[in-house]
Amino acid sequence: MVDITTSTSVRDRLALALDTDDLVGALRLARDLEPWFGVAKVGLELFTATGPEVVSALTERGWKVFLDLKFHDIPTTVGRAARVVGALGASYLTLHADGGVDMCAPPSMVCAKARPAPDSIRPVPSR
């Protein structure tokens, strides 16, 4: 049998989109495809159906979680939501850039403090 697993460096850059509202099905899919993906993308549908439990379930199984909830609100609200996302264990989140620097800077600073990024991936500080 040929080993077709993916190297760790490649796996950590590939996200598996768990676009479903079924936690059991999502976890089964993640288990089956784990040799090829290191990041699980949890969107609004799955997060709304299961709540923070999905983030915990995936991180406990060794996944990095990309929480794709598309934050777009006043800067204080988005910054606080980013803190919650970090506390849940998510590694990535989405922000709508049209919210501007004032909205995008606080979450990126929160994330940078919580999980220092490699030198090649740093948030741009607001001026």
Side-chain angles (χ1 to χ4, degrees):
M1 182 175 203
V2 177
D3 180 15
I4 57 170
T5 56
T6 306
S7 73
T8 301
S9 64
V10 172
R11 277 184 67 251
D12 287 345
R13 295 174 187 213
L14 294 175
L16 173 63
L18 298 173
D19 292 332
T20 179
D21 64 357
D22 176 25
L23 180 60
V24 173
L27 294 176
R28 185 178 302 124
L29 184 63
R31 180 199 64 215
D32 292 348
L33 296 176
E34 185 270 335
W36 300 281
F37 296 89
V39 179
K41 195 260 316 175
V42 173
L44 192 56
E45 181 180 9
L46 184 57
F47 191 81
T48 302
T50 66
E53 180 183 354
V54 66
V55 179
S56 300
L58 288 163
T59 57
E60 287 170 3
R61 289 165 174 78
W63 286 83
K64 291 181 183 175
V65 175
F66 167 28
L67 198 52
D68 186 19
L69 301 181
K70 300 170 180 72
F71 292 137
H72 186 246
D73 207 317
I74 61 173
T76 302
T77 299
V78 173
R80 288 179 180 164
R83 279 190 195 90
V84 172
V85 166
L88 290 175
S91 299
Y92 309 97
L93 59 91
T94 49
L95 304 170
H96 275 284
D98 67 346
V101 172
D102 289 340
M103 187 200 77
C104 293
S108 62
M109 294 301 137
V110 166
C111 293
K113 289 176 187 171
R115 299 176 190 274
D119 290 334
S120 62
I121 307 172
R122 291 271 182 226
V124 177
S126 60
R127 297 181 198 247

